[in-house]
Amino acid sequence: MTAPASATGPFAAALALRTYSFGRSALLAGLRLSDLRAGDAVLVPGYVCQEVLAPIAASGARAVFYDVNEMLEPASVWRDWPAARAVVAVNYFGFPQNLAPFRAWCAHHGAVLIEDNAHGWLGRDEDSAWLGLRGDLGIFSMRKTLRLVDGAALAVVRADLAARAPMQVPPRHAVMPIGQRTERWLAGLPSAMPLVWARTLRRAWRQQRTGSASPPASARAETDMPIDAAPHAGLQAALNAFDAAAEGRRRRALYQQIHARLTPFGVAPLWCEVPAGTVPYGYAFRAGALGGRDLEVVCKTVRRMGLDVFLWPALPLAIAPAAPRHYSNTWLVNFL
């Protein structure tokens, strides 16, 4: 797949690009391209959503976790990290991860650097380098930025890997699920309240059915892969019609708007400012300094604006019981 840079940002600069339905399938393809053998270790941050582990398991490799500090950077020097065949570095919430220690570790071990850019499709770092193209392989999830049936990509940056990149999976024809169609229609209404009500009802239904308003952590999330890796046939057209520059401006302005609205409540954002080139996935804040009532008011304030807010992520089961506080008290205002 090739797409114009004006529509898809970094994609035109990748040596090879393959699109998939979900980021899990893109990551699995990247792991297979990395020549992992059964039982090989892949370094991943402990602060990550469960679903990242599924392609590692499907590849026959095993996840080995490294800690991140409160700034979401590695908590130890790279020389103290264990040996592995590959490492996953995450651009959390669309903000650039410092890749210098990852590059040094990869050079020392002859390992593959996989840049998880599911949150940062349209962003650049302080050197104007596209996020997702700064390692050997980049993982994108465009469906997290646009309302798509699905859409993810593997960008191959290293020349020797690009030379043997897998064939593009033929696209599939499918109708957008009714839930997605309904939410897209609600999002287009002049008032945000119908969308807020629909999400509130959905959470209430889930709470009654499962005992949790958010999807609960599950062992299956760490092993289940999408049934079909093929991207939707309409993905290319949707990307070509998308105004990336306008979306970047909208997200940066929205970040500042949310920051101004929530600061009076004592909210502690992970980033007070949006660096040049960054296109935020959302507004991430820690709830540690807020009481339960204040957090409830903050969430209601955000939802009245038509935006979703939730605790992120559902941590891996091996990490959750002893996770440090900053792994388990981060809330995200999603800008989708």
Side-chain angles (χ1 to χ4, degrees), residues 11 22-24 26-27 48-49 51-52 88-95 114-123 131-132 137-146 151-153 251 279-282 312 334:
F11 287 173
F22 294 92
R24 282 166 287 168
L27 179 54
V48 75
C49 62
E51 292 180 344
V52 170
V88 177
V90 180
N91 297 319
Y92 293 105
F93 312 120
F95 286 74
I114 302 173
E115 186 178 8
D116 182 343
N117 194 42
H119 288 175
W121 170 33
L122 303 174
L131 303 188
L137 301 168
I139 307 299
F140 297 82
S141 188
M142 299 84 75
R143 72 182 188 89
K144 294 182 182 294
T145 300
L146 290 176
R251 287 174 174 262
V279 177
Y281 173 63
W312 193 94
N334 189 353

Side-chain angles (χ1 to χ4, degrees), residues 45-50 65-70 72 217 286 311-330:
Y47 184 66
V48 75
C49 62
Q50 285 186 290
F65 297 102
Y66 64 88
D67 295 329
V68 300
N69 59 26
E70 291 192 357
L72 305 187
R286 296 215 168 93
L311 193 66
W312 193 94
L315 291 168
L317 296 178
I319 296 296
R325 182 62 177 154
H326 62 275
Y327 281 26
S328 55
N329 70 346
T330 300

Side-chain angles (χ1 to χ4, degrees), residues 161-242:
L161 299 179
R164 50 189 180 85
M167 296 291 291
Q168 172 64 54
V169 181
R172 78 186 197 288
H173 294 269
V175 177
M176 179 178 282
I178 187 168
Q180 285 182 290
R181 293 204 306 271
T182 301
E183 184 147 312
R184 175 183 282 187
W185 178 76
L186 290 172
L189 295 177
S191 171
M193 293 314 298
L195 181 59
V196 173
W197 295 331
R199 288 171 173 165
T200 301
L201 287 172
R202 183 175 62 192
R203 285 191 176 87
W205 175 79
R206 186 186 290 129
Q207 178 78 41
Q208 183 176 23
R209 188 172 63 91
T210 68
S212 172
S214 301
S218 164
R220 292 186 57 182
E222 300 183 4
T223 58
D224 285 3
M225 290 293 295
I227 296 173
D228 195 340
H232 186 262
L235 176 60
Q236 179 67 75
L239 297 182
N240 289 346
F242 173 59

Side-chain angles (χ1 to χ4, degrees), residues 80-107:
D80 292 338
W81 304 353
R85 292 284 294 172
V87 62
V88 177
V90 180
N91 297 319
Y92 293 105
F93 312 120
F95 286 74
Q97 180 69 244
N98 175 17
L99 294 189
F102 296 94
R103 293 190 183 108
W105 179 88
C106 285

Side-chain angles (χ1 to χ4, degrees), residues 220-304:
R220 292 186 57 182
E222 300 183 4
T223 58
D224 285 3
M225 290 293 295
I227 296 173
D228 195 340
H232 186 262
L235 176 60
Q236 179 67 75
L239 297 182
N240 289 346
F242 173 59
D243 189 337
E247 180 63 13
R249 290 191 297 270
R250 183 188 77 86
R251 287 174 174 262
R252 290 176 62 88
L254 187 55
Y255 195 97
Q256 299 304 328
Q257 182 183 353
I258 294 290
H259 185 63
R261 291 285 292 272
L262 299 189
T263 296
F265 295 105
V267 163
L270 272 66
W271 297 273
C272 291
E273 300 291 338
V274 181
T278 296
V279 177
Y281 173 63
Y283 184 88
F285 65 92
R286 296 215 168 93
L290 298 175
R293 183 177 296 275
D294 288 337
L295 178 59
E296 184 178 346
V297 172
V298 165
C299 290
K300 287 182 177 179
T301 299
V302 169
R303 287 168 182 156
R304 287 194 197 101

